[in-house]
Amino acid sequence: MVDCWQSIVGRLVAPEVNRVMRRFVTRMLWSAASVAALFVAVASCGAQTADGVADPQIAAALKQVSAQRIQATIEKLVSFGTRSTISAQDAESIAAGRGIGAAREWIKSEFERDSKDCGGCLEVKTDSFEEKAGGRIPKVTEITNVYAVLKGTDVASAKRIVLVTGHYDSRNSDTFNVTGDAPGANDDGSGTAVSLECARVLSKMKFPATIIFLTVAGEEQGLNGSRHFAKMAKEQGWQIEAVLNNDIVGGDKSAEQNHAVVRVFSEGVPSAASEQDLRQIRGLGGESDSGSRQLARYVDGIGQTYDVGVKPMMVFRLDRYLRGGDHYSFNEQGFSAVRFTEFRENYNHQHQDVRTAGGIEYGDLAKFVDYEYVARVARLNAATLASLAAAPGAPANVRLVTKDLENDSTLTWEASPGATEYEVLWRETTSPEWEHAQKVGGATRATLKLSKDNVIFGVMAVDRAGHRSLAVVPGAER
Ligand SMILES: [Zn+2]
C-alpha cells in the first residue's frame, strides 16, 4: 500500500523524481485526514515505486521460497554433527553422515536434485584444492567449494555473473576441535540454506545473465574457500558483477532481535583500489561510491520494490568490529560484494561449544533460528539476483566531460546490450542514498543543468520491462 502511495505521489513530482521529497510527502499524506479521496487512485495502482518496477514473474517466484524447506536444510546440516573444515571427509565418515565430507556430498546432491527438476538446467560443480598447513589449518587439508551454475540464456549476457554464497563449514569454541559437536545452525547453516533455496526457486526461471549459487568451506579457518574461489574467478576472467554473502542470517530469537531488518555491510573505499584510484577517490569524494556500495544501494532499492518482509539496513563499513567474512575475498579481487547479517547477533550462540553454564544455554543450535526470518532474507537475495540477471549490464565507460569549466554536467557512456533507456541518478555529496533520478532516453550522452562539483552522479541501464542495472559512477574525462 505504501508503495502505491509513493507511486501516486511520484507521478505528481515526475519527471524529475525527488525520492526524499516523495517519502516526506507520503508520510504527510498518511497523517492527513483528507486521505480518503486518494483511495480511488490506489485501487488502480501498480507496483511502481521510486526505486523500480516489480516484475510479476519475480514476485511470483519469491512466493515459492519456503521456510519449511529452509528449516529442513538447516536441520540436515546440523545433523552432520560437526562441519569443521578440518573434520573427517573420508569415505567411512561420509557414509556415517558425520563431518564436513558428508555435508559437502549432501549439498552436492541437493543441487543435483534441483537440476533434475529443471531438466538439467544447473551445472553442479566443485572447486577443490589442498590448503597447506598454517594458521588455523593444522595439516594439509582438502577444501571443497560446491556450486551450481544457472547459465544465462543469452549468449552475450551469459558472460555476466551474479552470485550468492554462504559458508557450510562450522566451528565450536576451539577452531582446532574436529570431533566435538559444532551445529552451526545460524553460522552459517542459515547462509547455506539461502544459497540452496535461491537455487531451488530461481532454477525454475530463465535469465539472460548467469547466476551462481555457491557454498564455501574454510571460512572459520580464515576465508580459505572463498579466497580460492575468488582468485580462480579473477584468473579466469569471470565477469562477476555482484556477490551476495549471507553469513549469520538466522534471526536469532533473542528478545532484542529485530526480525524486520537485515544488515547489509559494504566496503566504501575498494580493497582492490590502485594508487591512481585512491587519488581520484581522495580528490573527488568517492569514499562512498565503490561497486560494493552501489550493490548495497541496489539491494536497498529491491527491499522497497518487492515485499519480502524484511528491510535491508545499509551499514557503510566492510564488516562488524573484529569480524570478517567471505565477501572480503571477492572485494580483494576487485569484485563488488556485500554481506547480509541479522540485526542483532547473540554471541552465546556463535563459535561456542554446546553446553549450559550458569543457567545460560550456549551453542549454535537450530532451535534459536527463526526460519521465517531466513526465508525473508532468502526472498531479498532471490529478488536481487533475479533483477540483476534479468537486467541489462551496467553501462560501461561512464564519463563526466570535464574539458571545460562549466556549470552544466555532460555524461557519456557505452550502450549496454538489452538496454532501451538510461537513467541518470544524483545526490548531494553528503547524502547516503540516490535522491534524484531522471530518464534520459536511449542515447548514450546526457547534459544536465547541474554542477558536477555539487553532486555525485550515477548512470543505470534499464530494459523495456523496467529491469535496472547497477548504477555506475562516472570517471572524469578531459
Ligand atoms: Zn560465519
Side-chain angles (χ1 to χ4, degrees):
M1 184 69 88
V2 173
D3 288 350
C4 288
W5 285 106
Q6 284 179 336
S7 172
I8 291 162
V9 175
R11 279 175 220 147
L12 297 175
V13 184
E16 187 202 299
V17 181
N18 182 325
R19 287 168 52 182
V20 171
M21 182 58 83
R22 285 166 65 145
R23 283 176 197 166
F24 173 73
V25 175
T26 300
R27 280 186 206 117
M28 296 302 288
L29 282 173
W30 273 113
S31 61
S34 61
V35 80
L38 279 163
F39 272 97
V40 180
V42 170
S44 61
C45 183
Q48 189 173 3
T49 73
D51 299 284
V53 184
D55 174 330
Q57 275 184 301
I58 295 173
L62 300 183
K63 294 202 171 73
Q64 304 302 311
V65 171
S66 155
Q68 286 76 30
R69 292 297 291 247
I70 284 167
Q71 177 172 0
T73 298
I74 292 174
E75 286 175 354
K76 184 68 186 180
L77 289 167
V78 169
S79 80
F80 298 114
T82 175
R83 305 189 307 280
S84 161
T85 298
I86 49 177
S87 67
Q89 44 181 319
D90 56 286
E92 208 173 304
S93 305
I94 291 172
R98 190 171 176 95
I100 191 148
R104 173 191 76 210
E105 292 306 310
W106 179 77
I107 290 167
K108 206 160 152 255
S109 71
E110 285 293 286
F111 282 142
E112 280 161 354
R113 195 209 46 230
D114 293 339
S115 187
K116 210 168 148 225
D117 290 350
C118 63
C121 75
L122 294 174
E123 199 183 338
V124 181
K125 302 183 84 165
T126 53
D127 161 39
S128 273
F129 62 100
E130 279 197 343
E131 189 66 283
K132 51 184 185 301
R136 292 172 175 180
I137 306 278
K139 59 172 200 264
V140 177
T141 301
E142 186 179 19
I143 295 180
T144 303
N145 303 313
V146 187
Y147 62 109
V149 182
L150 179 63
K151 190 120 204 257
T153 52
D154 178 80
V155 180
S157 305
K159 294 194 188 90
R160 298 176 39 228
I161 299 168
V162 293
L163 184 151
V164 61
T165 187
H167 70 86
Y168 73 92
D169 63 309
S170 68
R171 60 167 288 183
N172 50 29
S173 298
D174 174 6
T175 39
F176 291 101
N177 179 341
V178 299
T179 51
D181 278 350
N186 192 350
D187 187 10
D188 184 31
S190 62
T192 304
V194 167
S195 263
L196 292 178
E197 192 63 7
C198 285
R200 191 181 71 79
V201 168
L202 297 182
S203 58
K204 298 187 173 108
M205 300 177 73
K206 292 198 187 325
F207 302 96
T210 295
I211 306 181
I212 292 180
F213 309 95
L214 173 64
T215 67
V216 299
E219 198 273 350
E220 302 291 9
Q221 311 308 121
L223 314 181
N224 309 63
S226 58
R227 187 172 299 121
H228 187 269
F229 191 94
K231 269 190 183 162
M232 172 183 74
K234 180 70 188 289
E235 281 163 16
Q236 296 185 7
W238 295 12
Q239 284 181 38
I240 301 180
E241 293 184 349
V243 172
L244 309 180
N245 174 33
N246 289 268
D247 195 352
I248 312 179
V249 292
D252 183 276
K253 293 175 189 163
S254 53
E256 302 90 343
Q257 186 62 273
N258 185 342
H259 296 273
V261 172
V262 63
R263 290 179 291 173
V264 181
F265 291 85
S266 60
E267 64 175 12
V269 176
S271 311
S274 65
E275 269 307 314
Q276 195 188 342
D277 295 335
L278 291 173
R279 261 200 304 279
Q280 177 150 333
I281 287 168
R282 271 194 295 270
L284 298 172
E287 297 88 348
S288 192
D289 280 288
S290 64
S292 301
R293 192 58 50 84
Q294 306 310 345
L295 176 55
R297 291 188 179 106
Y298 193 92
V299 172
D300 186 57
I302 290 291
Q304 296 179 46
T305 302
Y306 291 92
D307 181 19
V308 297
V310 69
K311 289 290 172 208
M313 178 182 114
M314 292 191 285
V315 183
F316 282 5
R317 50 171 52 125
L318 172 62
D319 212 320
R320 303 101 73 230
Y321 279 83
L322 302 177
R323 308 295 289 272
D326 292 317
H327 57 308
Y328 181 61
S329 295
F330 289 92
N331 287 158
E332 270 187 309
Q333 300 301 326
F335 297 119
S336 300
V338 298
R339 175 193 183 122
F340 293 79
T341 298
E342 64 191 11
F343 181 74
R344 190 178 196 277
E345 294 168 79
N346 186 331
Y347 304 106
N348 294 338
H349 300 161
Q350 305 176 359
H351 303 189
Q352 293 279 355
D353 289 341
V354 178
R355 67 192 191 280
T356 301
I360 296 169
E361 267 191 298
Y362 292 89
D364 192 352
L365 299 168
K367 68 175 178 180
F368 301 128
V369 172
D370 176 350
Y371 301 112
E372 288 293 344
Y373 179 83
V374 185
R376 287 177 216 136
V377 175
R379 282 184 202 108
L380 179 61
N381 274 261
T384 305
L385 293 167
S387 298
L388 284 172
N397 279 323
V398 182
R399 294 277 178 264
L400 247 173
V401 177
T402 57
K403 64 178 167 28
D404 298 317
L405 290 172
E406 56 183 349
N407 280 302
D408 291 355
S409 300
T410 296
L411 293 123
T412 64
W413 56 90
E414 283 176 17
S416 293
T420 51
E421 61 177 346
Y422 299 90
E423 239 175 81
V424 175
L425 314 164
W426 68 95
R427 62 181 207 273
E428 290 197 5
T429 60
T430 50
S431 175
E433 290 180 68
W434 295 115
E435 297 170 305
H436 313 267
Q438 186 167 312
K439 290 190 161 85
V440 296
T444 56
R445 182 185 184 93
T447 299
L448 286 93
K449 295 264 167 217
L450 286 162
S451 168
K452 54 192 149 310
D453 299 325
N454 298 349
V455 298
I456 292 170
F457 284 111
V459 182
M460 266 181 174
V462 187
D463 75 1
R464 202 174 304 281
H467 302 118
R468 301 162 112 207
S469 75
L470 290 166
V472 181
V473 171
E477 178 162 296
R478 282 184 189 278

